Each structure stands twice: as C-alpha cells, then as structure tokens.
Amino acid sequence: LGSALDMFHKMEAEGPSPNRVTFSVLIEWFSKNGDMEKAVEFYKKMEELGVTPSVFDAHSIIRGCLKDGKPEAAVKLFDESFDSGLANIFICNSMLSWLCKQEKIDEATDLLSKMESRGIEPNVISYNNVMFALCRRNNMDLARTVFSNMLGKGIKPSSHTYSILVDGYFKNHDEENAWKVYEQMTSSSIEVNEVTYHTFINGLCKFGKTSKARDMLANLIKEKRFCSSCMSYNSIIDGFIKEGEVDSAVAAYREMCGNGISPNVVTYTSMMDGLCKNNRMDQALEMRNEMENKGLKLDITAYGALIDGCCKKRNMESASALFSQLLEEGLNPNVAVYNSMISGYRYLGNMGAALGLHEKMLRDGLRCDLFTYTTLIDGLLKEGNFILASNLYTEMQVAGIVADEIMYTVIVNGLSKNVPFVEVAEMFEEMKKKDVTPNVFIYNAVIAGHFREGNMDEAFGLHDEMLDKGLIPDGVTFDILVNGKVGKSQPIGVASL
C-alpha cells in the first residue's frame, strides 16, 4: 500500500495524471479493508480533479460506509449520486436494504417512488426489502399491498418473496393467510424450494403446532420434495420442548440421528434445556457427554440450561463445577446463569455464596435484574438480615428497577415474619437521631410493625412523614396501609398496586 500511494503522489506531481481506473483501484482497496476515511478522501479528491466517479466507485464507497457504521456519510454520498443521475438499481437497492434493516419504512417507500420517477425501475429485490421490513413490524396489510403493487407492475415474485410473506403471517399468528400465500405460490408455477418449506415448518412450530410441522416434514421427505436438514429438526425439537412435549422432542432427535443428520450445538442446547426443565438431569448430562465426545463445545446457553437444572435439583456442587468449567472455557456468564446460581444458593440458605456471586456480577459489569434482587432480598429477610436487604433494595431503586408484585410479596412477608419489630424500630430512631433519612424499605418495615401492633395512628403518621421528606411510597406501603398485609402469604392484588 505504501508503494502504491507513493506512486499515486508521484503521478500527481510528475504525471501522467491519475485517471478513473487509478482512483477506482485505491477506493476499492480501502473500502474492502474497512478504511472508509481514506476511501472517502480519495473519492472527494477524484471529484475535485474533475474525474467523474463510476457507478462502481459510488456503489463501493456507499456499501463500505454502511458496513463500517458510517450511515451519515453513506446517505450523503447516496443523495449526491442520486441527484447527479449516477445511482443505478444496485446502489438504490443497497440503500433500500439498509433503510429497511433500520426499520425506516417511510424513507424506504419514499425511495421506491423516487426511483420510479427517475426511471430506475425497482426490481424484485427492491420490493423484497420493503416487504421484509413491513413484516418485521407486523404490518401485514401494507406488506400485502406492496406485494400487489409489484404484481401490478409485472414483476415476477421469487420464492424468497413468498417466504417473506409466509414468515410474516406466522409471526403475526395468522396461519390461514400463510397457507393462502403458499397456494398462490404453487398456482403461479413458482417452485417451492427448501427455504420456503423450512419457513413453513418453523412457522408452525412457533405457532404451537409442532405435530403438524413434524407431519409436514415427514410427507415432504416421503414425496422427495425436501431433504431434511438439521435446521428443520431443530425447529421441531424446540417447538415440542416449548409445548412441554419432551418425549416427542426426544423422538424427533432420534429420528434426526436415524436419518443420518448430525445434531449441532443448537440441537443439543434445546434438548438439554427441555430435559433439565423436566427434571431429567441424567438424560441432559448424557446429552452433554455425547456433545463433547463429538468435539462440539458447549456455548453459554447450553451451560445455562445445565446449571439451571442442577440448581433446581439443589445440586449446587455440580452447578458450581459447571460454572467453573464455563469460566475455564473463556465464556462469560450472563445474567440468567448468575440468577440460577444465586437462586440455588438461596434455597440452601447459603446467602454468603449468593452475595459473593452478586458482587462478581457487579465486578464483571453485568446489570442485575429484578429477579436477582428479589432472590437476594428474599434470602436475606428469611435470615433476618434487615440492613443488607435494605441496602440492596436501595441499590435496586438507584438502578431504576421497579418492583413487581412478587417483590412486594417477598418484602411484606419477610418483614412481618422474620425481622423483629423492636430491632427495626431501634435502628429507625437511631437513623433519625443521626439526621440520616431512612429509605422507603425501612419506612415500610416500621409501618408494618406499627400496623401489626395496632398502632394505626403511628403507621399513617409515618406515611405522611415519608411524603414530607420527599420519599414516594411504593406498592408495599399501600398494601400495608390499605389492605393490612403484614403477615399474610397470599399474593398482592393488582387493584391494591
């Protein structure tokens, strides 16, 4: 590159002057290697020297800018090429594709109109991009309108066009119209390919009709219209697991292997997740061993399924071993994995280990979610550790996480059953003496205590005091004062919240 640039500068200084081919070579090289600043620099220099860029140059640099995360530069260059008449269908389709992926539907449909007004006829790829974006937004009526407009202009849809619509209808829970698209496709002599068949199989599985998808796959294989694939079996296995039909998932897995199709990481992960959730840990671990024997590495989702299964069985020794193993593999635990581990230790009453994982989450830069805080606070209150539970509740509020009914129930039950009112009241008074404002959690504890003791005036007085201090009562406060829930285990009613 250094020598090439030296030669370019020598040409500038001594001649012959760089021409379009010279610039094209450099622009293409910089674009392919992700140095878009240099690519744009030479593109601009090309224009300054009066060398007209080719369609290839404009397309190369616009695609490069979009790929490199520089959409503003790409849009500016596109507008210039469009206004100058340089842009062709390929450049327009690249911009349409980007607009649709960004869900800028209005801009995309506007570009379609502009293309037509400039004599650049949109093709099937143009319309596919727009329909795909509309289907992602579940705007099937408009997607169908775009499809009709395409037919009206004499543009023949591709099998991909029909697959987009089928997928959109299934995601919109509209099986009837999905089949109508299929019928229209077959009646128009468009060959139904494997992508379209898989779209149907996957759609049926997501729609909760996995048995129908399995039968469809079996018929397609029997009629030799479809070569079964790992992807299709993965959809069926995942569908059965989500429907709670684990035995059917196991049968599909065995059929898959019997047909000579090798399971991949996705297959094993789905199977292990389903088996773990149905307390079939022995089979799940067998799957893990089979997977490793085939040289396949577990990903974080697979580890998460196994760890969650062990934790639910209170087998924290195995869960901890799996957790250590995933760290050794260089994988980073996600929030779901940490939550499983924390929940498992909470069930065993090992809050020291649970809190240690919470601290590790924070060190790793992970944001704890509501489940994390609910689990920890529940465990701490059951131990009578009111102060640490209060600190975590404050941490949760500072993080902007809003408590739900489960959290409110945990707090109300925990405060009433496990924390002595005398201890809470003494700490409350001590804080006020030191001019430290108690948080909402502590006020709730004291209000609950007074309510339980029958001191109604004190309870409502503390509510008013909270407001005077700028504290906002939460759902727990209202459940105590309105419904008197200070020692009951029933769920908190939505109306009271």
Side-chain angles (χ1 to χ4, degrees), residues 64-110:
C65 287
L66 290 174
K67 186 178 178 181
D68 199 44
K70 294 181 171 62
E72 296 85 2
V75 171
K76 186 174 184 296
L77 288 165
F78 173 77
D79 289 341
E80 290 173 1
S81 69
F82 194 85
D83 292 341
S84 67
L86 183 64
N88 64 2
I89 185 63
F90 300 105
I91 294 175
C92 290
N93 278 347
S94 289
M95 184 52 61
L96 265 177
S97 176
W98 179 79
L99 289 170
C100 291
K101 285 175 182 174
Q102 300 300 312
E103 297 192 6
K104 297 177 181 287
I105 306 297
D106 293 338
E107 291 93 328
T109 51
D110 184 50

Side-chain angles (χ1 to χ4, degrees), residues 192-397:
V192 184
N193 61 18
E194 292 192 2
V195 174
T196 309
Y197 283 131
H198 173 70
T199 303
F200 258 99
I201 291 167
N202 187 57
L204 288 167
C205 293
K206 293 284 191 291
F207 197 61
K209 295 191 175 183
T210 308
S211 294
K212 190 173 183 178
R214 179 195 54 199
D215 294 342
M216 180 181 181
L217 177 62
N219 288 333
L220 289 170
I221 294 171
K222 184 179 179 181
E223 296 168 9
K224 297 183 179 180
R225 286 190 286 159
F226 183 73
C227 293
S228 54
S229 65
C230 184
M231 191 182 299
S232 295
Y233 273 109
N234 283 349
S235 294
I236 289 170
I237 289 168
D238 185 62
F240 276 131
I241 286 170
K242 283 185 169 58
E243 292 171 26
E245 299 287 340
V246 180
D247 288 334
S248 296
V250 172
Y253 169 79
R254 288 174 179 161
E255 180 186 310
M256 175 185 185
C257 297
N259 287 338
I261 299 169
S262 297
N264 60 14
V265 175
V266 175
T267 319
Y268 284 113
T269 301
S270 293
M271 288 299 301
M272 286 187 289
D273 184 48
L275 291 167
C276 289
K277 285 177 178 173
N278 284 271
N279 295 319
R280 293 160 72 164
M281 286 302 300
D282 290 342
Q283 284 181 276
L285 292 171
E286 283 176 16
M287 283 280 175
R288 191 272 300 266
N289 294 335
E290 183 181 319
M291 183 179 177
E292 290 180 337
N293 290 336
K294 289 185 177 180
L296 295 174
K297 287 185 174 293
L298 279 74
D299 59 12
I300 195 64
T301 308
Y303 273 111
L306 290 171
I307 287 171
D308 188 60
C310 290
C311 290
K312 284 184 168 63
K313 296 278 281 186
R314 312 291 188 265
N315 185 356
M316 294 311 296
E317 184 178 347
S318 295
S320 181
L322 286 164
F323 188 81
S324 298
Q325 187 178 334
L326 77 86
L327 293 175
E328 289 169 7
E329 292 286 341
L331 297 172
N332 296 316
N334 55 24
V335 175
V337 172
Y338 274 110
N339 282 347
S340 294
M341 293 290 293
I342 289 170
S343 181
Y345 282 123
R346 185 274 310 267
Y347 278 121
L348 295 181
N350 189 349
M351 289 309 297
L355 290 167
L357 287 168
H358 166 250
E359 290 170 7
K360 179 170 168 50
M361 282 182 77
L362 299 179
R363 286 198 305 272
D364 290 349
L366 285 176
R367 188 175 186 268
C368 303
D369 61 13
L370 180 59
F371 184 88
T372 318
Y373 286 110
T374 303
T375 306
L376 289 169
I377 289 171
D378 180 49
L380 289 168
L381 287 176
K382 283 175 179 174
E383 284 188 348
N385 195 336
F386 173 77
I387 295 174
L388 196 46
S390 171
N391 292 340
L392 281 173
Y393 190 74
T394 301
E395 180 185 301
M396 183 188 87
Q397 289 183 313

